[in-house]
Amino acid sequence: MDWLHRRLHRLPMSPRLLVPRGRSQRLEAHRALYRWAARGAGGQRALDLGCGTGYGCDELMLAGAEEVVGIDVDPRCVRYARRRFSKAGALFEVCDLTGKPDVLPPLQRLGAEGGVDLAVCIDVLQELEEPDKAVATAARLLNQGGRFIATFSPSRRLRDGEWWQCLISHFRQVEAWSLRESTTSATNHHRPQGRFVIERYDSDRGEPLYLVFSCRDPRDPRSLAASEEIAGLPSWLATENPVPPLFSRVGRSSGREH
């Protein structure tokens, strides 16, 4: 009765919005991604960009984060998240991800108080008209040694590799991972949840449920050199106009949701 829960709590009816009920594949996958991102988050300050109904912030708090701030553009989602998860210690604010951090009160406060150690953006960037601004916001707010975790669903068609160029334009170190259904043959992986495995990205293994990028060391976007090596990425991601082999097939996919 997901629709009834949404109506009772005055939440959007969009199927893209997840509510912390039941055990759908997408919800379990999102929780697994948050748990993976939260490795080593004990005692850190974390920011969830596009927190939706707040279940991801709850996962970050459970992992031991000292402070967690979730921001979302929809006030209905923020109200729900506050009612459901504020008692756990998370803070939730209405905020536009593509705005400038120096004029947005929640992000202005985080910047004034020393920034954040972990920023996550789970399955959100591909929904934005200007994703570059959201990535730039995360890069500006990260402390030295901090991490930005961004994930994308391959079943959501990407536009000409702009996401990849966006990430490598703002971070000097980017590692590519993928989330898949767990199998006994998987290697070099982390198991945040029994049903899924997060492993190094390998285009030969076919389409994953989610692509995961772990980004460090923010750069001045104007400093990107075409010949500069991008650590941890397949060679196609370091080209001037990266087009991943995987996505040459995704354009013809069924567009199914995960």
Side-chain angles (χ1 to χ4, degrees), residues 187-207:
T187 58
N188 189 23
H189 57 258
H190 300 271
R191 293 185 182 277
Q193 192 166 326
R195 182 177 177 181
F196 300 103
V197 58
I198 296 179
E199 60 190 4
R200 293 285 189 175
Y201 173 78
D202 181 356
S203 60
D204 291 336
R205 297 205 60 208
E207 179 180 311

Side-chain angles (χ1 to χ4, degrees), residues 165-179:
Q165 194 65 49
C166 175
L167 293 173
I168 64 177
S169 294
H170 289 285
F171 293 92
R172 290 185 177 86
Q173 297 182 36
V174 183
E175 294 180 346
W177 300 75
S178 59
L179 179 141

Side-chain angles (χ1 to χ4, degrees), residues 16-150:
R16 290 292 300 163
L17 177 69
L18 290 173
V19 294
R21 290 170 55 85
R23 295 178 61 84
S24 72
Q25 183 189 52
R26 281 188 63 226
L27 180 59
E28 288 190 34
H30 276 211
R31 289 190 179 277
L33 290 166
Y34 276 105
R35 290 170 187 169
W36 184 82
R39 295 171 305 143
Q44 294 186 343
R45 302 181 76 201
L47 172 66
D48 187 1
L49 295 153
C51 65
T53 53
Y55 55 88
C57 291
D58 186 50
E59 294 289 353
L60 297 173
M61 291 298 298
L62 290 172
E66 181 178 348
E67 181 182 357
V68 176
V69 177
I71 62 172
D72 199 277
V73 70
D74 195 319
R76 295 169 294 178
C77 293
V78 171
R79 284 195 298 268
Y80 180 91
R82 285 172 177 168
R83 289 195 301 266
R84 185 76 182 266
F85 298 113
S86 287
K87 290 183 180 179
L91 303 175
F92 299 95
E93 303 284 354
V94 177
C95 185
D96 182 355
L97 297 181
T98 59
K100 295 181 179 179
D102 57 346
V103 298
L104 298 172
L107 302 185
Q108 185 180 34
R109 180 182 68 82
L110 287 174
E113 295 178 357
V116 299
D117 306 297
L118 172 66
V120 298
C121 195
I122 305 298
D123 203 14
V124 171
L125 288 178
Q126 66 257 29
E127 304 298 324
L128 304 178
E129 290 297 325
E130 299 179 285
D132 183 77
K133 290 185 177 180
V135 177
T137 294
R140 290 190 193 102
L141 289 172
L142 276 185
N143 293 328
Q144 184 175 4
R147 295 175 294 134
F148 174 54
I149 307 297

